[in-house]
Amino acid sequence: ERSNYCWETNNEETNTYNITRLQFTDDRLEWLLTNYPDVQIQLIMFGKSNTVGTDKWNPISQTVQNKMMDYMISRWAAWPNVHFLIMNDVPYTAAAGPITQQEADDNMVMVREIGDYMKSNDPWNNLISTGPKRREPNPFLNFSGQDSWHSYVHEERYSEIDADVADEYYSEYNIS
């Protein structure tokens, strides 16, 4: 697994980091920023899973969750060209399936907890976003202030090669 997920095993309560996986990411970042200093890097913080909130996040304590996020902030936030993507291609509604509504809700709660924590604890104020399941709306693009941590739009489609998907989010609140 090449995910940035820090833990050595599925037993996150052991507090054992997979140093090899983390160093692999470090090596890639260092090479990219040394050889291509103007490139912007979107670092996916957690691996892709339909039920990551239920399976990976809920079982671990708040203390361990905070420790993991502090570790990621300490390790990568100071890189000048890194932007954080909490998760990618994750269903946030049961309609995006194949998950239950409770699993979708768990994914939403997880992303909001991480986004709020990152905004409060990242001294460099890196850009942060999350990616919904393809062809699904991004539920974090609201202008109510609820998700103020969400600082850039990450959208993917299967076949589009232009930015027309941004038209879905254009409103009087956006800059035209």
Side-chain angles (χ1 to χ4, degrees):
E1 179 181 350
R2 289 191 173 177
S3 165
N4 292 322
Y5 197 70
C6 315
W7 304 112
E8 182 64 43
T9 67
N10 286 332
N11 182 7
E12 291 84 357
E13 294 293 347
T14 64
N15 296 325
T16 304
Y17 292 111
N18 184 322
I19 298 300
T20 303
R21 190 177 301 145
L22 296 169
Q23 288 171 337
F24 182 75
T25 301
D26 292 345
D27 290 344
R28 284 180 161 184
L29 283 172
E30 182 178 356
W31 182 87
L32 277 167
L33 294 174
T34 299
N35 293 288
Y36 301 96
D38 295 329
V39 72
Q40 300 295 305
I41 299 159
Q42 178 176 270
L43 188 65
I44 301 173
M45 298 171 69
F46 297 91
K48 179 181 173 181
S49 167
N50 284 334
T51 57
V52 68
T54 303
D55 298 339
K56 295 283 190 183
W57 194 249
N58 289 351
I60 60 178
S61 70
Q62 186 68 53
T63 301
V64 174
Q65 290 172 1
N66 292 353
K67 182 179 177 183
M68 176 172 39
M69 290 182 289
D70 287 340
Y71 191 80
M72 289 179 158
I73 290 168
S74 298
R75 195 162 189 110
W76 296 310
W79 289 93
N81 301 16
V82 168
H83 313 298
F84 291 114
L85 188 71
I86 297 172
M87 294 187 293
N88 187 39
D89 216 10
V90 173
Y92 296 116
T93 65
I99 61 171
T100 66
Q101 189 56 51
Q102 182 59 54
E103 291 166 332
D105 292 345
D106 288 347
N107 289 344
M108 292 277 289
V109 168
M110 176 186 173
V111 168
R112 283 196 167 112
E113 286 177 3
I114 293 169
D116 289 340
Y117 191 91
M118 294 290 291
K119 181 173 178 150
S120 296
N121 293 282
D122 176 0
W124 294 275
N125 297 311
N126 291 60
L127 295 174
I128 187 164
S129 187
T130 191
K133 200 80 166 162
R134 293 174 194 209
R135 297 188 181 136
E136 292 295 319
N138 189 328
F140 301 99
L141 292 179
N142 63 64
F143 300 97
S144 66
Q146 178 182 9
D147 298 311
S148 61
W149 54 266
H150 195 265
S151 54
Y152 73 95
V153 176
H154 172 87
E155 283 292 329
E156 294 180 52
R157 296 295 195 255
Y158 287 105
S159 60
E160 292 182 7
I161 58 172
D162 55 27
D164 287 345
V165 69
D167 292 342
E168 295 174 23
Y169 301 103
Y170 175 77
S171 74
E172 65 272 14
Y173 301 107
N174 294 345
I175 297 171
S176 57

